[in-house]
Amino acid sequence: MKERLEALRTEALEALQQVTDPGALNELRIKYLGKKGGLTEILRGMGGLSAEERPVIGQVGNEVRGAIEAAIDELQERFQREETESRLRAETIDVTLPGKAPLSGAVHPLNKVAQELEDVFIGMGYTIAEGPEVEEDYYNFEALNLPKNHPARDMQDSFYITDEILMRTHTSPVQVRTMKQMNGKPVKVICPGKVYRRDDDDATHSFQFNQIEGLVIDKNIRMSDLKGTLLQFVQQMFGQQAQIRLRPSFFPFTEPSAEVDVTCVQCQGHGCRMCKQTGWLEILGCGMVHPRVLEMGGYDPEEVSGFAFGMGVERIALLKYGIDDIRHFYANDLRFLNQFARM
Amino acid sequence: MNVSYKWLNEYVDLSGLSPEEIAERMTRGGIEIDRVESRNQGVTGVVVGYVKSKEKHPDADKLNVCKVDVGTDEELQIVCGAANVDSGQHVPVAVVGAKLPGGMNIKRAKLRGVESQGMICSAKELGLPDKLLPREQQEGILVLPADLKLGTPITEVLGLEDAILELDLTPNRSDCLSMLGAAYEVAALTGLDVKLPESRIIDTAEQASDYVSVAIEAEEQCHHYSARYIKGVKIAPSPLWLQNRLVAAGVRPINNIVDITNYVMLEYGQPLHAFDADLVSGGRIVVRMAHDGEILQTLDDQERKLDSSMLVITDGEQPIALAGVMGGASSEVSADTVNILLESARFDGGTVRKTSRQLGLRSESSARFEKGVDPERVLLALDRAAGLMAQLAGGLVAEGVVQAGEVGAEPAVVSVALAKINRYLGTTLSGLEVKTIFGRLGFAFEVAADDVFEVSVPTRRGDITRDVDLIEEVARLYGYDNIPTTPIEGASTPGSLTVPQAIRRELRKRLTNAGLHEAISYSFTSPAQTDLFPDLAEQVRPVRLAMPMSEDRSVLRTSLLPQLLEIAAYNRNRKNDNVTVFEIGSVFHTDEETLTRLPHEKHRLAGLLTGSRRQSQWNVKAEAVDFYDAKGLLEEIFRLLGVQNSIRYEAAAPTHYHPGRTAAVLLETGRGYERIGFVGQLHPEQQRDLDLQDTYLFELELGQLYDAADAAIVYKALPRFPASGRDIAVVVDRTVQAGALTAAIAETAGELLESVEVFDIYTGEKLGAEKKSVALSLIYRHSERTLTDEEVTELHGKVVAQLEESFGAELRK
């Protein structure tokens, strides 16, 4: 019996050496180790052995089983390894091909800039007010110290609908509406929105454009506060190195009034084509709220004072992105819009 | 206003200050100088010469050979082609080596075989602007006065060694529409003194009142009218120095009398008018409102039809001038004029402005009256001009000024306290500093108790009426740069967006993440566009501009969709067929023929999808967008706003939408379900007209959504008990809407139904053309316990029975 076992071992190990695929391996396992396999077959004859022989043969049987099993396991592992390797080989792809682009659109650059401007002011404690784009002459002009036939009305050529109703020429009427609504209480708002002025369209002019204006009214608001506010704003918008420069100017609704230049964003003030070698770019107008405007808004100019400022969103966007023609904003060419689909 | 640096020097001593320095200081002081331009456009080596003889060129009909003396020993031979050249003339001569504007260099040359040692120049060749040249100088060579020294540089003769400062004036600083005004400004900025011009009038025996009478019949429109009578003038060209100054200021010289009125207007800012006194019947001046329909021929030879809002100067009968705007042709000064009636008046700015706008007629005069002239200068300018007419045109000035109305030249007294100045500006100025500033401005003042400055504002500064106006003067002369930079004092306030603003930002974020680009289009459009999509508003009457720039932009948009279609077409024309865009903006509706109140201005969201959903790629096939892409965006938006359970879709067929592929969107509000928009395909005919592929649109009113939006997220506990799912497929008529099936299921199953979803729609021959199979997945769940199989089966059985009953549904096995 021992010889039969040894012979089985030799036969099995030899057979296993010839195996090349997992299916054949499994067949051999059944053939030698299965319930009806060769080993079981031989060991079934153990019943006829003596009590002394039985443990000896049993041990041999176990050794044979162990040896065959070990050989099978080894093969099995090898097959698995090979299978994995071949699978990896088969699954190899060209990683340099482009990935699937997720859908992505873009917020319009004018709104992108407007939102950025709004956020800066929100961070400075401003709320946002809005008003109608079709306005009454009263809110657009008269309550802003621009009575009918005032020569300063020429500064803003308007689209009238009737004698008393027009397309707003600035977002200042929202300031007037805000003052009336606040009813004498302090004001700190910005007013973004579309405005309309009769203007021949060219690379720097558009009859429709966007403005953001600000208004602050409280006790003891000073012109130095206006300067401080604007400096804080431009540094947040254009970087800490940005400085401002005020030049006296005229707006009917402010006194004193000023135009504000900011350090050129392109050359940082050294002088370049964009700033016409001056180092400065004009970006906004501002001033102390005219006492007439305060009075008409329901405030006592002896009690409170205020400042106001305003800027064109297109102008800031042109500067910020280096866009050469304002008309791009309204053509809505996807090749243009798509350039703003990023941080 | 163009200010000549040399001329300005007459009133303020500018030595040591270059034109550029003046420009910088004025700009920083609030008078913006657009540019500083040299009057010399590149002339060197051109001198005064004398034409001693002229002979015909032997080989050219149109050329002359001139012998010219330019004050040197050598006589020059110059070939000249100008028709007006003649012996005995003084002319500008560009000698060999001279340079002319445009880069021309003068060299020794032979013209048709005859040597030429230079060139006799025209005014144009010297770089003088064509439109400012007197008529006689526009053609041929420039003939100079005979009293010039030969060899004098022409740049000196024509005043070209000068710079022009172009002032870009704000409406409040009309005082700088005069040389004197500019001089006062420069003086204030530099601390220099102003030297005023002199008016010399030599007494005569004649009395002006014997020749002229003045009456004002419209006192509100004409505050003051003054006139002088100048006898025996000789009309001639003005002396060169005067012409040079006019040209420098951009005014064309005409003749000595007209030039003097223009010169004094430029000097004082006070417009003047010279009538030919013999053509003013009876020397009568009556200022009155025009009669409706009255006709006046103005100096530019145009017939003007007047109305009763316009102020005219008449001779008691006929209008002879449009007050403050332009004179009349009938009394124009001409070569034959001998006697002058000189007008200096103060007309109401608003009246002049209205008249000039109404007639589309603007002049140097109207530009000044509109903004208000200095009352004090009405008589000063009158005397100055009369004096010059005596001096330069040989006239005799009759004794006395004939006038009516009020001079009104009392300086206003405006007070401001030092404390208020410092409180307003955030400065710490001393009383002395403020005194110095007012002194430099030439403002007289007294200091009352508590450092209150009582300032007598000169009448030339009509813009200063309140304390803040004085504060601005202090600020700009102190220097805006010197005002400190401070933070606002007091409690800080929290900043925030309003709910609608926050919603619009979320919509932008969500839609761009879904691949759409945001567009912004014009609010003005054509009337045809406003007719395209009328169904979303009950009262669509577009708002029309009174004076549109073009018919294409003559009305306010009533829908956002037409412009989105334009954007699709625009991009298609640029080889981009795949367009997915949205816009958030206002539309404008009214129910009025003529607006008496503001129109309804509604915020809307609109979107357009056409072409492929995404770009095709090596591993992605292009798939055309369809209705459900558009609807999916809306569903996403409604989920975002927390209103998804208050929305219903109903098949609809609004104008220019595909009648079989469009839904009305309804929102449940406190007033029941309200239609807030449409989603659907553009009508195929429209698509064909616009050459677009299948195009899907949506447009929503945002107003109701702002109100309905629910920002509060309320957490719902995760289910603790298992769900039980049942799938069914039912065959129904093709016309049965899936929405009706799911609604019926929800209604029948009640609270135990967690969800029902359509997961397949099948049509095919097996079912017949009129049928479809709808596969639905139902999930049942109880929140407190596990449902038994029997319970679910029973409930589901009811659902199926209901479908069979209501829709004739057949359960597909």
Side-chain angles (χ1 to χ4, degrees), chain A residues 27-263:
Chain A
E27 275 170 29
L28 290 183
R29 181 205 305 276
I30 294 162
K31 180 173 173 189
Y32 297 110
L33 302 180
K35 276 187 187 146
K36 292 174 184 166
L39 186 64
T40 318
E41 176 80 29
I42 295 168
L43 293 180
R44 212 171 274 147
M46 284 213 347
L49 294 179
S50 67
E52 293 82 37
E53 271 180 326
R54 228 180 261 168
V56 178
I57 293 301
Q59 197 183 342
V60 174
N62 283 342
E63 276 171 25
V64 170
R65 177 183 296 276
I68 296 173
E69 269 176 359
I72 287 174
D73 285 352
E74 192 191 328
L75 274 171
Q76 190 130 16
E77 259 174 53
R78 201 178 85 209
F79 287 145
Q80 242 169 36
R81 205 165 51 237
E82 280 171 5
E83 191 192 326
T84 305
E85 275 165 15
S86 84
R87 178 175 166 188
L88 292 180
R89 258 196 312 281
E91 286 177 357
T92 297
I93 55 167
D94 180 353
V95 297
T96 64
L97 279 169
K100 278 186 208 178
L103 291 175
S104 85
V107 172
H108 193 283
L110 291 177
N111 282 334
K112 196 172 159 73
V113 169
Q115 287 183 181
E116 213 174 308
L117 293 167
E118 287 166 11
D119 287 343
V120 169
F121 284 107
I122 288 171
M124 288 163 71
Y126 288 72
T127 52
I128 304 187
E130 294 178 313
E133 292 171 32
V134 179
E135 255 300 1
E136 290 171 31
D137 186 273
Y138 173 80
Y139 287 106
N140 194 74
F141 285 132
E142 279 184 49
L144 290 160
N145 199 26
L146 270 153
K148 289 228 162 82
N149 272 317
H150 192 287
R153 283 200 178 192
D154 290 351
M155 291 168 91
Q156 302 175 5
D157 221 346
S158 331
F159 289 106
Y160 273 91
I161 292 161
T162 68
D163 286 347
E164 296 301 328
I165 296 176
L166 74 163
M167 302 308 295
R168 67 178 176 194
T169 57
H170 44 195
T171 58
S172 311
V174 185
Q175 302 188 352
V176 179
R177 288 175 178 274
T178 305
M179 281 190 268
K180 301 218 167 193
Q181 202 184 332
M182 293 304 280
N183 204 12
K185 290 200 286 284
V187 173
K188 198 172 176 186
V189 290
I190 56 165
C191 315
K194 289 181 186 135
V195 301
Y196 306 83
R197 290 185 199 174
R198 186 177 290 278
D199 219 335
D200 288 329
D201 284 7
D202 61 25
T204 53
H205 294 89
S206 173
F207 68 86
Q208 171 178 325
F209 60 102
N210 289 268
Q211 269 195 338
I212 291 190
E213 296 197 335
L215 174 70
V216 174
I217 298 174
D218 206 341
K219 288 197 166 70
N220 290 321
I221 294 292
R222 303 161 295 184
M223 190 154 169
S224 56
D225 300 337
L226 169 61
K227 282 184 75 177
T229 299
L230 294 177
L231 184 64
Q232 191 184 348
F233 159 66
V234 301
Q235 292 190 339
Q236 288 202 36
M237 192 70 197
F238 299 107
Q240 286 303 312
Q241 79 293 338
Q243 292 296 320
I244 53 167
R245 181 177 85 166
L246 272 65
R247 284 176 288 114
S249 187
F250 169 77
F251 305 108
F253 25 89
T254 51
E255 187 83 10
S257 305
E259 301 269 11
V260 181
D261 299 335
V262 64
T263 315

Side-chain angles (χ1 to χ4, degrees), chain B residues 405-593:
Chain B
E406 298 284 330
V407 177
E410 279 302 300
V413 176
V414 180
S415 298
V416 64
L418 178 63
K420 168 119 191 219
I421 294 174
N422 282 324
R423 197 171 66 232
Y424 209 67
L425 298 176
T427 48
T428 51
L429 292 167
S430 68
L432 182 64
E433 282 173 295
V434 174
K435 279 181 193 168
T436 309
I437 287 170
F438 287 145
R440 284 167 74 154
L441 285 163
F443 294 179
F445 60 86
E446 281 175 28
V447 184
D450 296 330
D451 278 337
V452 172
F453 287 82
E454 289 170 354
V455 180
S456 304
V457 180
T459 49
R460 64 187 156 84
R461 290 299 304 273
D463 59 312
I464 296 173
T465 59
R466 303 182 69 130
D467 58 355
V468 288
D469 301 325
L470 288 173
I471 294 176
E472 178 172 67
E473 292 300 302
V474 171
R476 68 185 190 91
L477 287 184
Y478 176 62
Y480 281 11
D481 284 343
N482 297 323
I483 295 172
T485 298
T486 56
I488 296 175
E489 284 168 2
S492 66
T493 48
S496 62
L497 293 168
T498 62
V499 170
Q501 287 156 356
I503 286 176
R504 290 200 300 275
R505 283 198 182 193
E506 287 298 327
L507 292 177
R508 275 189 200 117
K509 227 187 287 177
R510 193 64 200 90
L511 289 169
T512 54
N513 285 342
L516 279 73
H517 285 86
E518 186 184 22
I520 297 181
S521 29
Y522 293 126
S523 303
F524 300 165
T525 187
S526 69
Q529 298 277 45
T530 60
D531 293 339
L532 280 180
F533 298 99
D535 296 75
L536 199 48
E538 271 81 32
Q539 329 135 319
V540 194
R541 196 190 275 272
V543 176
R544 195 178 164 83
L545 300 176
M547 289 196 326
M549 293 195 297
S550 69
E551 194 57 18
D552 276 356
R553 305 235 175 276
S554 59
V555 293
L556 302 191
R557 59 184 177 185
T558 54
S559 161
L560 301 179
L561 292 176
Q563 279 151 320
L564 292 186
L565 291 176
E566 280 180 0
I567 291 169
Y570 179 94
N571 281 286
R572 195 260 342 277
N573 291 341
R574 279 152 191 80
K575 303 270 176 280
N576 196 343
D577 291 326
N578 306 328
V579 179
T580 54
V581 287
F582 72 98
E583 177 164 4
I584 297 171
S586 292
V587 300
F588 307 84
H589 300 153
T590 179
D591 47 8
E592 296 185 295
E593 179 94 36

